[in-house]
Amino acid sequence: MPLSKLIAIVAGVGPGTGASVARKFSSHYPVVLLARKPENYEGLAKEINSAGGKAIGISTDVSSKDSLAKAVEGIKQEFGQDVAAAAAIFNASGPFMRKPFLEIPAETFSSSLDVSAMGGILFSQSFLPLLLKGVGSSEHPPSLIFTGATASVKSNAQMASFSTGKWALRALSQSLAREFGPQGVHVAHAIIDGVIDIPRTREWLKDMPAEAKLSADAIANDYWWLHTQPKTNFTWEIDLRPAIEKW
Amino acid sequence: MPLSKLIAIVAGVGPGTGASVARKFSSHYPVVLLARKPENYEGLAKEINSAGGKAIGISTDVSSKDSLAKAVEGIKQEFGQDVAAAAAIFNASGPFMRKPFLEIPAETFSSSLDVSAMGGILFSQSFLPLLLKGVGSSEHPPSLIFTGATASVKSNAQMASFSTGKWALRALSQSLAREFGPQGVHVAHAIIDGVIDIPRTREWLKDMPAEAKLSADAIANDYWWLHTQPKTNFTWEIDLRPAIEKW
Amino acid sequence: MPLSKLIAIVAGVGPGTGASVARKFSSHYPVVLLARKPENYEGLAKEINSAGGKAIGISTDVSSKDSLAKAVEGIKQEFGQDVAAAAAIFNASGPFMRKPFLEIPAETFSSSLDVSAMGGILFSQSFLPLLLKGVGSSEHPPSLIFTGATASVKSNAQMASFSTGKWALRALSQSLAREFGPQGVHVAHAIIDGVIDIPRTREWLKDMPAEAKLSADAIANDYWWLHTQPKTNFTWEIDLRPAIEKW
Amino acid sequence: MPLSKLIAIVAGVGPGTGASVARKFSSHYPVVLLARKPENYEGLAKEINSAGGKAIGISTDVSSKDSLAKAVEGIKQEFGQDVAAAAAIFNASGPFMRKPFLEIPAETFSSSLDVSAMGGILFSQSFLPLLLKGVGSSEHPPSLIFTGATASVKSNAQMASFSTGKWALRALSQSLAREFGPQGVHVAHAIIDGVIDIPRTREWLKDMPAEAKLSADAIANDYWWLHTQPKTNFTWEIDLRPAIEKW
């Protein structure tokens, strides 16, 4: 199988980590950008295509099995029935509220679990077949990478609508690492412990030095590093935080 | 408020841990038994009532907000609008399959999360108001106890349909411990690490000594011990396993 | 073997947890009090003996193999060569400094490791033979309990001279739990997460309610509870903290 | 300060990971090789110097403060009083025995702690001043990296003479990461979870594929990757294991 058939899929693109990761991987693979709203991937796809890479965006709801099935169909139409994946990156998170537990609607919890937990499960069930197909033909072991957070390992007061999904996602990644590592797919989980420097957080930590925030581009480099690890040396989990972060 | 108004609620009764816990707490409080199928609580309610205790069963689906609302309504009809809780124990788990990840239907994952994760959330939202009402009037700090498993802290290959929900539930319990401890409610999580000696597991580990299985009655004693800890000495988490268990 | 031959040993008695634990266990077993300075056990031994219990104190440096060998010798002289132990509780900690790492003398680190790590190892090597002898003749499984701290699981800045020893001690307790559980000895580790209410801390947290501190007597109850767990339901680790503690 | 003054120090070189790490870092910095026995660094120093790099070896016992002080003196004589460090890698481990706890001499435990725990502490106290001097003049944040093992996070039966030191070392690394990260030094800990493919392990896992062992050169690449992370994105901990490893 020619290497050109190998693609990278990024779920949860937007103006932050997802975009940086997609840009980074686009210099090596055609990338598929998944987001619910087209405005979250259109500009990025254009940018990557203009820069000489190849990117397509597909409007996808990762909490819906049908929506993901359509995404896989779209990918096969674009890249051929025998398309394989070198990387699949799950960077989506459900909505949540930082509030007293009894004031949070049950719907917020279930929406959060739908994306963070079920979304991760459905994404994995959709793209692991493509990653398995990539084993052997990919220069680097095909990689399935999940974006976690501080709340993936610590469940603070008033954060349960975020942490429940994030702990579930971490459990998923650990189980998949154990099942699919021996089959040649590298499954990894990154604990992003701090504020990422993206447009949405521009006003945060304004009295701190610039380096108080994580760089989204540096996260992308770290994901690329995970991707290039050989079969003898897989990392399941890394944590990432600014040097000056309190933890 | 007279102490007699304090009740204990046990979700997930059946012929195992839930029943033992209900029996144990019934010697101190009227108990409410929640299970989907009446056959899971009817015999037990009869047994407790015959023994001089007080028990009522309510057919409840903990993954349904409406069903839990009806259970709360039923409890208020039985024990009065100002009923308070001394203990609420969440002992339910969703269905799961130990199978290759790609062979497990998405529905199994979502059913598992519906009970283990959302069930725990909805149960907590339903009964924390009663537990908070118990603060001050209860001899022991009102307690919200969650039953976990080995899979709450380790996510093995092919176990993701169980562990995702169990990690989410553990996250919930930690967040609630941090939020409600200062308000006087004791939130705890028990990691049951081994096979419990119940009718369903009678044929398991048959070539091992009897003590290779956890005693459900001893688990109930441990839950009672957690319940009687004073406000100065709350335990969030215990692990429980047979002495001869490999871990 | 008559039950009266079973003793409890407590290392690290003083005016706090150790004393409470010794008092609690003295209502069931003769207790041996180990501390470097006789003034740390003399009053307590007198108190227990006056109250109808039985206690002897032995001046012991737990970081010294020879000193512990002498303690064992003294115990055999007092209780007979065939003495067995129902419980051995290691409650000692080495000295430490909360200071910038580069300002702490190397000697402070080694003294801390000598007590917290080597002390725990030597104490275990000295008394596990007596605990093993207690298996079968003790009503409750003989128990080896280690006192840990917040710093047993979290290693904060400037706390390395405490946490290095405490992490080592926790590692010891986990390994021993796995090795000696199947032999009938219950090995447990308690994470004391907060300030204990003892004479030395009287002036601490003065602007907080009394319940902001852990009760040493309640810790002793918790250790007793661990001791009484049956072989089917051993807990390796509990955490203990005031309800209002931030964690 | 010219970049040429920046050195890398590797403790615990020998025919495995230490040598690979030293080779990797030698293509960027002069390297100082520390080992007790000159035969462990002489060949490597020659090899690096022949290949156009710069390496010196210093016979050093990391468990001795005086020996480390002499090493620092030797480094200053060679590289100047104002020498700074870009990296210091602690790859040493004490001796241990995999045996029943009661059969292991106390001396084995103390020797293990002397190297793994005190060695790590003394090494850090010796070289953090040089790393701090490197802040600002080094292209990449000066890095202090510790080599851990499976036994750094899991303490199995009969493994206490290894795990106690390794848990202590991990505690040290976490505390130092929190204290020195904000000062610009990147402190990291690598959990090597599996057998490394080195001469000493040639006969191990012979019935398994070659990729069942970790590559020492790939570990060196991972350490280099840690070293090159920018201040906004520090990783404290990575785990590394062969894809087919059971964990």
Side-chain angles (χ1 to χ4, degrees):
Chain A
M1 187 189 298
L3 288 187
S4 59
K5 287 275 181 58
L6 287 163
I7 62 166
I9 302 117
V10 184
V13 295
T17 309
S20 289
V21 170
R23 264 184 219 106
K24 178 76 190 180
F25 280 70
S26 75
S27 59
H28 300 269
Y29 309 110
V31 290
V32 176
L33 313 173
L34 307 184
R36 263 191 11 194
K37 299 183 193 156
E39 59 261 38
N40 274 334
Y41 58 71
E42 284 170 345
L44 179 62
K46 211 176 215 172
E47 179 199 321
I48 290 172
N49 287 317
S50 304
K54 159 98 179 154
I56 64 165
I58 301 176
S59 172
T60 309
D61 174 359
V62 292
S63 71
S64 156
K65 198 178 149 181
D66 290 347
S67 181
L68 275 163
K70 273 182 206 146
V72 172
E73 210 34 62
I75 288 170
K76 291 189 172 172
Q77 277 170 23
E78 181 73 30
F79 298 101
Q81 289 297 317
D82 60 345
V83 64
I89 288 136
F90 185 77
N91 188 53
S93 272
F96 71 95
M97 289 181 189
R98 185 171 203 147
K99 269 195 173 193
F101 178 70
L102 294 174
E103 294 173 21
I104 302 177
E107 290 66 31
T108 301
F109 284 99
S110 55
S111 301
S112 178
L113 285 166
D114 280 350
V115 177
S116 295
M118 273 309 293
I121 291 162
L122 295 170
F123 178 85
S124 301
Q125 290 204 322
S126 301
F127 296 112
L128 269 165
L130 274 63
L131 291 162
L132 287 167
K133 222 183 282 173
V135 174
S137 65
S138 173
E139 182 190 353
H140 307 296
S143 308
L144 174 58
I145 304 178
F146 297 91
T147 299
T150 316
S152 302
V153 286
K154 200 178 175 194
S155 184
N156 282 330
Q158 307 200 359
M159 288 296 284
S161 63
F162 188 50
S163 61
T164 43
K166 282 301 198 185
W167 286 44
L169 187 70
R170 188 172 178 243
L172 174 70
S173 78
Q174 192 182 83
S175 180
L176 296 182
R178 288 185 164 118
E179 181 174 347
F180 291 95
Q183 299 178 48
V185 176
H186 182 182
V187 182
H189 182 254
I191 298 169
I192 312 296
D193 184 20
V195 175
I196 305 172
D197 190 12
I198 52 175
R200 188 168 55 86
T201 63
R202 200 123 299 165
E203 299 301 307
W204 303 9
L205 309 182
K206 282 199 98 166
D207 51 340
M208 303 273 283
E211 66 201 29
K213 293 182 193 163
L214 286 138
S215 149
D217 286 349
I219 294 175
N221 283 342
D222 291 322
Y223 283 19
W224 182 256
W225 163 74
L226 287 169
H227 175 52
T228 60
Q229 285 187 312
K231 240 155 65 158
T232 52
N233 291 49
F234 276 5
T235 288
W236 166 54
E237 188 161 75
I238 55 167
D239 51 331
L240 286 168
R241 67 179 60 76
I244 67 171
E245 181 77 14
K246 279 219 154 223
W247 58 292
Chain B
M1 187 187 300
L3 287 188
S4 59
K5 286 278 182 58
L6 287 162
I7 62 165
I9 302 116
V10 184
V13 295
T17 309
S20 289
V21 170
R23 264 184 219 106
K24 178 76 191 181
F25 280 71
S26 75
S27 59
H28 301 270
Y29 309 110
V31 291
V32 176
L33 314 174
L34 306 183
R36 266 199 359 201
K37 299 182 193 156
E39 61 260 40
N40 274 334
Y41 57 72
E42 283 170 346
L44 179 62
K46 210 176 217 172
E47 178 199 322
I48 290 172
N49 287 317
S50 304
K54 159 96 180 156
I56 62 164
I58 301 177
S59 172
T60 309
D61 174 0
V62 292
S63 71
S64 156
K65 197 178 150 181
D66 290 347
S67 181
L68 275 162
K70 272 182 209 149
V72 172
E73 210 32 63
I75 288 170
K76 291 191 171 170
Q77 276 170 24
E78 180 74 30
F79 297 101
Q81 288 298 317
D82 60 345
V83 63
I89 289 135
F90 185 77
N91 187 54
S93 273
F96 70 95
M97 288 181 191
R98 184 170 203 148
K99 268 196 175 194
F101 177 70
L102 293 173
E103 294 173 20
I104 302 177
E107 291 65 32
T108 301
F109 284 99
S110 56
S111 302
S112 178
L113 286 166
D114 280 352
V115 177
S116 295
M118 272 311 292
I121 291 162
L122 295 170
F123 178 85
S124 301
Q125 291 203 322
S126 301
F127 296 112
L128 270 164
L130 273 65
L131 291 162
L132 287 166
K133 222 183 282 174
V135 174
S137 66
S138 174
E139 182 191 353
H140 306 297
S143 308
L144 174 57
I145 304 177
F146 297 92
T147 299
T150 317
S152 302
V153 285
K154 199 177 175 194
S155 184
N156 282 329
Q158 307 200 0
M159 288 297 284
S161 62
F162 187 51
S163 62
T164 44
K166 282 300 198 185
W167 285 44
L169 187 70
R170 187 172 179 242
L172 175 71
S173 78
Q174 191 182 84
S175 180
L176 296 182
R178 288 185 164 115
E179 181 174 347
F180 292 94
Q183 299 178 48
V185 176
H186 182 181
V187 182
H189 182 254
I191 298 169
I192 312 296
D193 184 21
V195 174
I196 305 172
D197 190 12
I198 52 175
R200 188 168 55 85
T201 64
R202 199 123 298 166
E203 299 302 306
W204 304 9
L205 311 182
K206 282 198 97 166
D207 51 341
M208 304 271 284
E211 65 201 29
K213 294 183 192 163
L214 286 138
S215 149
D217 286 349
I219 294 176
N221 282 343
D222 290 322
Y223 282 20
W224 181 256
W225 163 74
L226 286 169
H227 175 53
T228 59
Q229 286 187 312
K231 239 155 67 156
T232 51
N233 292 49
F234 276 4
T235 289
W236 166 54
E237 188 161 76
I238 55 166
D239 52 332
L240 286 168
R241 67 179 62 76
I244 67 170
E245 181 77 14
K246 280 221 152 220
W247 57 291
Chain C
M1 187 187 298
L3 287 187
S4 59
K5 288 276 180 59
L6 286 162
I7 62 166
I9 302 118
V10 184
V13 294
T17 310
S20 290
V21 169
R23 264 183 220 106
K24 179 75 190 181
F25 281 70
S26 75
S27 60
H28 300 271
Y29 309 110
V31 291
V32 176
L33 314 174
L34 306 184
R36 265 198 0 201
K37 299 183 193 155
E39 62 260 40
N40 274 334
Y41 58 71
E42 283 170 347
L44 179 62
K46 211 177 217 171
E47 178 199 323
I48 290 172
N49 287 318
S50 306
K54 159 97 180 154
I56 62 165
I58 303 176
S59 171
T60 309
D61 174 0
V62 293
S63 72
S64 156
K65 198 178 149 181
D66 290 347
S67 181
L68 275 163
K70 273 182 206 147
V72 172
E73 210 33 63
I75 288 170
K76 291 190 173 172
Q77 277 170 23
E78 181 73 30
F79 298 99
Q81 289 298 316
D82 61 344
V83 64
I89 289 136
F90 186 77
N91 188 53
S93 273
F96 71 94
M97 289 181 189
R98 184 170 202 146
K99 268 196 173 194
F101 177 70
L102 294 173
E103 294 173 20
I104 302 176
E107 290 67 31
T108 301
F109 283 99
S110 55
S111 302
S112 177
L113 286 165
D114 280 351
V115 177
S116 295
M118 272 312 291
I121 290 162
L122 294 170
F123 178 85
S124 301
Q125 290 203 322
S126 302
F127 296 112
L128 270 164
L130 274 63
L131 291 162
L132 287 167
K133 223 184 281 175
V135 174
S137 65
S138 173
E139 182 190 354
H140 307 296
S143 308
L144 173 58
I145 303 178
F146 297 91
T147 299
T150 318
S152 302
V153 286
K154 200 177 175 195
S155 184
N156 282 329
Q158 307 200 359
M159 287 298 283
S161 62
F162 187 51
S163 61
T164 43
K166 282 300 198 187
W167 285 45
L169 187 70
R170 188 172 178 244
L172 174 71
S173 79
Q174 192 182 83
S175 180
L176 296 182
R178 289 185 163 116
E179 182 174 347
F180 292 94
Q183 299 179 47
V185 175
H186 182 182
V187 182
H189 182 254
I191 298 169
I192 312 296
D193 184 20
V195 174
I196 305 172
D197 190 12
I198 53 174
R200 186 168 56 85
T201 64
R202 199 123 298 166
E203 299 301 307
W204 303 9
L205 310 182
K206 282 199 96 164
D207 51 340
M208 304 273 283
E211 66 201 27
K213 293 182 192 165
L214 286 139
S215 149
D217 285 349
I219 293 175
N221 283 342
D222 290 323
Y223 282 20
W224 181 256
W225 164 75
L226 286 169
H227 175 52
T228 59
Q229 285 187 313
K231 239 153 70 155
T232 51
N233 290 49
F234 276 5
T235 289
W236 166 54
E237 188 162 74
I238 56 167
D239 52 331
L240 287 168
R241 67 179 61 77
I244 67 170
E245 181 77 15
K246 280 220 153 220
W247 57 292
Chain D
M1 186 187 301
L3 288 189
S4 60
K5 287 276 181 60
L6 286 162
I7 61 166
I9 302 117
V10 184
V13 294
T17 309
S20 290
V21 169
R23 265 184 218 105
K24 179 76 190 182
F25 281 70
S26 76
S27 59
H28 300 271
Y29 309 109
V31 290
V32 176
L33 313 174
L34 306 183
R36 264 192 10 193
K37 300 183 193 156
E39 61 261 39
N40 274 335
Y41 57 72
E42 283 170 347
L44 180 62
K46 211 177 216 172
E47 178 199 322
I48 291 173
N49 287 317
S50 305
K54 159 98 179 153
I56 63 165
I58 302 176
S59 171
T60 309
D61 174 0
V62 292
S63 71
S64 156
K65 197 178 150 180
D66 290 348
S67 181
L68 275 162
K70 272 182 208 149
V72 171
E73 210 33 62
I75 289 169
K76 291 191 171 169
Q77 276 170 23
E78 179 74 30
F79 298 100
Q81 289 297 317
D82 61 343
V83 64
I89 288 135
F90 185 77
N91 188 54
S93 272
F96 71 94
M97 288 180 190
R98 184 169 202 147
K99 268 195 175 195
F101 177 70
L102 294 174
E103 295 173 19
I104 302 177
E107 291 66 31
T108 301
F109 283 99
S110 55
S111 302
S112 178
L113 286 165
D114 280 352
V115 177
S116 295
M118 272 311 292
I121 291 162
L122 295 169
F123 179 84
S124 300
Q125 291 204 321
S126 302
F127 296 112
L128 269 164
L130 274 64
L131 291 162
L132 287 167
K133 222 184 281 174
V135 174
S137 66
S138 173
E139 182 191 354
H140 308 296
S143 308
L144 173 58
I145 304 177
F146 296 92
T147 299
T150 317
S152 302
V153 286
K154 199 175 175 194
S155 184
N156 282 329
Q158 307 201 358
M159 288 297 284
S161 62
F162 188 51
S163 61
T164 43
K166 282 300 197 186
W167 285 44
L169 186 70
R170 187 172 178 243
L172 173 72
S173 79
Q174 191 181 85
S175 180
L176 296 181
R178 289 186 163 115
E179 180 174 347
F180 292 94
Q183 299 179 48
V185 176
H186 182 181
V187 182
H189 182 254
I191 298 168
I192 311 296
D193 184 20
V195 174
I196 305 172
D197 189 11
I198 52 174
R200 188 168 55 85
T201 64
R202 199 124 298 167
E203 300 300 307
W204 304 8
L205 310 182
K206 282 198 97 165
D207 51 341
M208 304 272 283
E211 66 201 28
K213 293 183 192 165
L214 286 139
S215 149
D217 286 349
I219 294 176
N221 283 343
D222 290 323
Y223 282 20
W224 181 256
W225 163 74
L226 287 169
H227 175 52
T228 59
Q229 286 187 312
K231 242 157 60 161
T232 52
N233 291 49
F234 276 5
T235 289
W236 166 54
E237 188 160 76
I238 55 167
D239 52 331
L240 286 167
R241 68 179 60 77
I244 67 171
E245 181 77 14
K246 279 222 153 219
W247 57 292

